Amino acid sequence: MKKIFTTILFIASFLFFKPTLTGAQVNMQDSLALVALYNNTDGPNWNNHDNWLTAAPLTTWSGIHMNARGVGSILLSNNNLNGTLPVELGNLTELVFLVLNDNQLTGDIPTELGNCTNLRSLQLQYNQLTGNIPPQLGNLTNLEYFYLNNNNLSGSIPPELGNLKFIFYFYLDHNQLSGAIPASLSNSLNLINLHLNNNQLSGNIPAALGNSRVYDLNLDSNNLSGSIPPELGNLTKIGLLHLDHNNLTGSIPPELGNIHSTYGLYGLFLDHNQLSGSIPHELGNLHSLYYLFLDNNNLSGNIPAELGNNASLNYLYLNNNNLNGKIPKELGNLTGLQVLDVSYNNLNGQIPADLGKLQNLFNLQLRFNNLTGSIPASLGNLIKLNGLDLNSNKLSGPIPSELGNLKNLFRLALDHNYLSGEIPSTLGSMPNLLFLYLQNNKLTGNIPSSLGNSKTLRELLLANNQLSGKIPYSLTRLTTLNKLRIQMNEFTFAGMEKIAKAFPFAIYSPQAIIPLHKNNNILSVYAGDANALAHNTYKWYNSSTLVATITGDSTFQPIQNGNYSVAVTNSI
């Protein structure tokens, strides 16, 4: 009876101590892995390494958190780790969080990390890691947060990563990854953000991604080709869709207008591709859309009037395409719009006066089109406007004086049109104006002296018009001016000497041909006021033969008949 009791007592004692022995073994294994991490990554120079490699309990080591079975978390982000990841990290089988982002880690990602099957968060972003992504990471089936972005990783994306079915955030962007996007990435049940942008990925966009529940799908800045899968219209939770800066071809699927996601599509970025065809009017159904970027493609046809239904739209970029037809007046309904850019297209017709209702607009870009008619005075209502570019069109008529109401404007470009009439004096009342471009029009009259009030003006371009009269002395108050172009007008030297002295960079020559006057047998020319006369030199020609050079006197009496002309220069 005693023997039996002793045996039972021994077994009970073994069972009692076994967990303690196992725990000690796990702690020793974990300790050695931590020592390897410290030694591999220049531990003595970490920003914070309290108690590391001391006899203190692991729970007191900086950045280390324990659970009941061993090391549960390594949290050493932005801690100046410099070196390679040790393979011993793969022995931390109870590890849940490995957070080493924003350091100077180099070398390969150890394949042994695939043994850490309890990992829920792997964050190695913003380092200098190289090599391929180990397919063994597909064993981390409990992973929810996967951040390898902003490194120097290369090779293809392992299809085994499709085994991460519980992943929420999947970031491989800003690396040098190549090859195709595995369709298996659509297997995740919880995927919220999928960022593969800024790599060298190629091939088609997998249609299977249309079955995903992703909110933020970012594939921009790769080498993706082929067409946009219409299946993406089935994304029921999508909020942001980035496919820009690729080599995508074909048309924009009208199915994208059917996206009725939980939160509503917030941003659609298809710019900088080779997309062709027309803009689907179905995109007008995306009532939650805040960003619509379709610029820098080969799109043609009209701008759909239905885009005026997108009441939430704040940024609309359609520039650098082959769009034609008129600018829809319905765009005036987008009262929240901050940027409207339809420049570099083939748009025609008049600028809709309804655009004057866009009182939240900061930037209006209509340049390089074939727009005709006059500039609507209603644009003077856009009091928040910073930039107004209407240049390089076929606009005619006067410059509306109402544009002087744009007190926040820093750039006004109306050049290369057929504008006529005088420069409104109200343009001198814009206190923030930096750039005023009116060159290559048919403007007449004087330069308004009020432009001298534009104390912030840096560039004033008035060349190639029909401006005349005395150049106002007030322009010399423009102390920030670094570019002045007034050539190819009908100016004389009146007021020009002071301008030449104040702005040695100014270009004021040549000017238009001015008429000679004949009084009896005396020829004269008016090339400036009395102040300029003393510095003027007159070279008189009979046909092409120089017959006289006179300084300080604008009159000349020929001694024989002929075809006379004079070239006037000024020494200042």
Side-chain angles (χ1 to χ4, degrees):
M1 186 70 180
K2 182 179 180 181
K3 183 177 181 181
I4 293 173
F5 176 78
T6 304
T7 303
I8 292 172
L9 181 62
F10 174 77
I11 294 171
S13 300
F14 177 78
L15 292 174
F16 179 79
F17 284 107
K18 186 174 182 180
T20 303
L21 291 171
T22 304
Q25 290 170 351
V26 168
N27 286 334
M28 177 62 70
Q29 180 173 271
D30 288 6
S31 299
L32 292 175
L34 296 179
V35 169
L37 176 62
Y38 185 88
N39 290 333
N40 270 37
T41 59
D42 194 20
N45 288 311
W46 289 0
N47 294 335
N48 197 345
H49 53 87
D50 292 347
N51 289 338
W52 277 72
L53 271 59
T54 69
L58 292 183
T59 53
T60 68
W61 290 21
S62 178
I64 301 300
H65 298 271
M66 307 293 292
N67 58 33
R69 296 175 299 277
V71 174
S73 301
I74 301 177
L75 309 177
L76 296 173
S77 62
N78 196 24
N79 201 43
N80 200 35
L81 276 67
N82 196 331
T84 59
L85 295 172
V87 297
E88 288 86 350
L89 289 180
N91 297 329
L92 300 173
T93 55
E94 300 302 325
L95 197 62
V96 178
F97 296 95
L98 179 58
V99 181
L100 304 177
N101 56 286
D102 293 272
N103 284 291
Q104 289 83 48
L105 297 173
T106 58
D108 294 349
I109 298 172
T111 59
E112 288 79 3
L113 282 184
N115 300 329
C116 302
T117 54
N118 284 303
L119 264 182
R120 289 173 54 197
S121 181
L122 176 60
Q123 299 187 35
L124 303 178
Q125 72 269 30
Y126 290 97
N127 280 287
Q128 301 167 31
L129 298 170
T130 56
N132 296 346
I133 299 172
Q136 290 84 352
L137 297 186
N139 299 331
L140 306 178
T141 53
N142 289 306
L143 207 61
E144 297 175 356
Y145 303 90
F146 186 50
Y147 291 87
L148 301 183
N149 53 291
N150 293 85
N151 280 287
N152 297 313
L153 299 171
S154 57
S156 59
I157 299 174
E160 290 83 355
L161 297 184
N163 298 331
L164 308 178
K165 294 186 178 180
F166 299 107
I167 201 79
F168 286 102
Y169 297 95
F170 190 103
Y171 285 76
L172 299 180
D173 55 281
H174 291 85
N175 280 290
Q176 300 172 24
L177 301 172
S178 57
I181 299 173
S184 60
L185 297 186
S186 63
N187 294 338
S188 173
L189 303 175
N190 301 317
L191 194 60
I192 295 176
N193 288 8
L194 175 59
H195 283 209
L196 308 179
N197 52 293
N198 292 87
N199 280 288
Q200 300 167 21
L201 300 171
S202 57
N204 295 345
I205 299 173
L209 290 180
N211 302 322
S212 179
R213 300 178 181 180
V214 65
Y215 172 79
D216 184 356
L217 177 59
N218 196 333
L219 307 180
D220 75 72
S221 303
N222 281 288
N223 297 315
L224 299 173
S225 57
S227 58
I228 299 173
E231 289 83 356
L232 296 185
N234 299 326
L235 292 168
T236 58
K237 290 188 176 180
I238 192 73
L240 294 169
L241 180 57
H242 291 262
L243 305 180
D244 50 289
H245 292 83
N246 280 289
N247 298 315
L248 299 174
T249 56
S251 59
I252 299 174
E255 288 83 357
L256 295 184
N258 299 330
I259 295 177
H260 298 293
S261 60
T262 306
Y263 308 104
L265 187 62
Y266 185 73
L268 178 59
F269 301 88
L270 306 180
D271 54 286
H272 291 84
N273 279 288
Q274 301 173 30
L275 299 172
S276 58
S278 59
I279 299 172
H281 65 83
E282 289 85 354
L283 297 186
N285 299 329
L286 302 173
H287 299 311
S288 300
L289 205 60
Y290 191 87
Y291 301 100
L292 179 58
F293 285 61
L294 305 180
D295 54 285
N296 289 277
N297 280 289
N298 298 315
L299 299 172
S300 57
N302 296 344
I303 299 174
E306 289 82 358
L307 293 184
N309 299 331
N310 296 12
S312 298
L313 204 59
N314 272 238
Y315 296 88
L316 178 57
Y317 286 86
L318 306 178
N319 51 292
N320 292 81
N321 279 290
N322 297 313
L323 300 172
N324 52 42
K326 297 180 179 181
I327 299 174
K329 66 177 183 178
E330 288 81 1
L331 297 185
N333 298 330
L334 303 175
T335 54
L337 204 63
Q338 296 185 44
V339 175
L340 174 60
D341 192 344
V342 298
S343 55
Y344 294 94
N345 279 290
N346 298 312
L347 300 170
N348 54 50
Q350 298 190 3
I351 299 173
D354 297 72
L355 297 187
K357 297 188 293 185
L358 303 176
Q359 294 196 12
N360 287 302
L361 205 63
F362 283 95
N363 201 344
L364 178 58
Q365 299 289 331
L366 309 182
R367 65 188 188 277
F368 285 93
N369 279 287
N370 296 311
L371 299 172
T372 56
S374 59
I375 299 173
S378 62
L379 297 187
N381 299 329
L382 306 178
I383 57 175
K384 293 184 179 180
L385 209 61
N386 296 144
L388 177 59
D389 285 72
L390 309 181
N391 55 296
S392 303
N393 279 285
K394 298 177 180 178
L395 300 171
S396 58
I399 299 173
S401 61
E402 289 83 356
L403 296 186
N405 298 330
L406 305 178
K407 305 302 183 185
N408 291 303
L409 202 69
F410 66 80
R411 176 186 170 92
L412 177 59
L414 307 180
D415 53 284
H416 292 84
N417 280 290
Y418 303 124
L419 300 173
S420 58
E422 297 188 352
I423 299 173
S425 60
T426 56
L427 298 189
S429 61
M430 293 185 283
N432 298 302
L433 195 63
L434 300 177
F435 308 101
L436 179 57
Y437 300 148
L438 304 179
Q439 74 271 24
N440 291 85
N441 278 290
K442 296 181 177 180
L443 299 172
T444 57
N446 299 341
I447 298 175
S449 60
S450 61
L451 290 185
N453 299 327
S454 303
K455 299 296 181 61
T456 58
L457 204 60
R458 296 181 186 175
E459 297 185 6
L460 176 58
L461 306 187
L462 306 176
N464 203 15
N465 278 287
Q466 298 167 23
L467 300 170
S468 59
K470 184 175 181 178
I471 299 173
Y473 176 74
S474 61
L475 294 187
T476 60
R477 299 200 299 263
L478 303 177
T479 56
T480 60
L481 202 66
N482 56 42
K483 184 180 287 187
L484 176 62
R485 304 287 188 268
I486 58 174
Q487 75 274 20
M488 300 301 292
N489 279 288
E490 297 178 3
F491 293 120
T492 66
F493 292 122
M496 197 177 290
E497 288 187 356
K498 291 182 172 62
I499 296 299
K501 290 178 179 178
F503 308 117
F505 49 79
I507 297 178
Y508 40 76
S509 177
Q511 292 295 330
I513 295 174
I514 57 178
L516 283 178
H517 302 286
K518 182 175 180 292
N519 184 10
N520 295 323
N521 198 31
I522 298 175
L523 302 179
S524 63
V525 62
Y526 177 78
D529 53 19
N531 294 326
L533 184 62
H535 302 114
N536 288 354
T537 297
Y538 302 80
K539 292 188 175 182
W540 291 93
Y541 294 86
N542 185 351
S543 294
S544 59
T545 303
L546 179 65
V547 295
T549 300
I550 303 172
T551 299
D553 188 351
S554 61
T555 63
F556 170 65
Q557 185 170 0
I559 59 175
Q560 61 184 23
N561 294 335
N563 185 10
Y564 285 91
S565 63
V566 61
V568 189
T569 59
N570 181 284
S571 60
I572 304 299

